[in-house]
Amino acid sequence: MERIESEQQYQDLINGDGLTVVKFDTSWCPDCKTLDKFIDGIMKENADKRFFALDAEKFQPIAEENQVRGIPSLLVFRNGEKIAHLHSKYAKTPAQVSEYLTTLESKQ
């Protein structure tokens, strides 16, 4: 998963027409590492979405602006608008993440 390295890159990515999923994480988070173990398969199942990772500590103002209170969190953007937010306590299993991404279909 490509990592977002600048605020400008973040802005460019979330302002796209399609669905952009941004995983907010940190390098020290054990739940983030668990999510990383199964996210590749989920990304393949959701090839219609673009996936990126963003360090919530490095980009704390972006995390705060998006009300990211726990990590990992998966936020989904379209045309610069946050349309969905999977909070950390619901992002612990492949089933939880897959179900969340499936519900996005009704938001397109």
Side-chain angles (χ1 to χ4, degrees), residues 1 18-22 35 38-52 74 76 86 93-106 108:
M1 181 180 311
L19 295 178
T20 302
V21 180
V22 179
L35 176 61
F38 63 79
I39 196 72
D40 285 344
I42 290 172
M43 288 169 54
K44 287 177 186 167
E45 292 171 5
N46 291 273
D48 59 322
K49 300 165 187 71
R50 300 178 313 150
F51 288 81
F52 299 93
L74 296 176
V76 182
L86 182 66
T93 69
Q96 288 174 315
V97 175
S98 291
E99 181 180 333
Y100 165 70
L101 293 172
T102 300
T103 65
L104 296 175
E105 305 310 318
S106 64
Q108 289 194 45

Side-chain angles (χ1 to χ4, degrees), residues 6-17:
S6 71
E7 188 168 340
Q8 184 61 53
Q9 181 188 15
Y10 163 78
Q11 290 297 332
D12 291 345
L13 291 170
I14 69 164
N15 281 297
D17 288 338

Side-chain angles (χ1 to χ4, degrees), residues 10-108:
Y10 163 78
Q11 290 297 332
D12 291 345
L13 291 170
I14 69 164
N15 281 297
D17 288 338
L19 295 178
T20 302
V21 180
V22 179
K23 176 181 66 117
F24 284 71
D25 63 8
T26 63
S27 60
W28 52 264
C29 163
D31 287 339
C32 300
K33 293 182 188 328
T34 299
L35 176 61
D36 287 343
K37 291 178 183 176
F38 63 79
I39 196 72
D40 285 344
I42 290 172
M43 288 169 54
K44 287 177 186 167
E45 292 171 5
N46 291 273
D48 59 322
K49 300 165 187 71
R50 300 178 313 150
F51 288 81
F52 299 93
L54 182 139
D55 187 310
E57 287 184 327
K58 183 177 178 183
F59 296 101
Q60 190 170 1
I62 294 172
E64 288 175 4
E65 170 186 311
N66 285 290
Q67 301 174 329
V68 174
R69 307 241 191 285
I71 51 173
S73 285
L74 296 176
L75 281 65
V76 182
F77 298 88
R78 184 179 54 228
N79 298 323
E81 178 186 351
K82 180 174 86 169
I83 62 167
H85 185 150
L86 182 66
H87 296 273
S88 57
K89 68 180 179 178
Y90 302 112
K92 296 191 185 295
T93 69
Q96 288 174 315
V97 175
S98 291
E99 181 180 333
Y100 165 70
L101 293 172
T102 300
T103 65
L104 296 175
E105 305 310 318
S106 64
K107 298 182 185 207
Q108 289 194 45

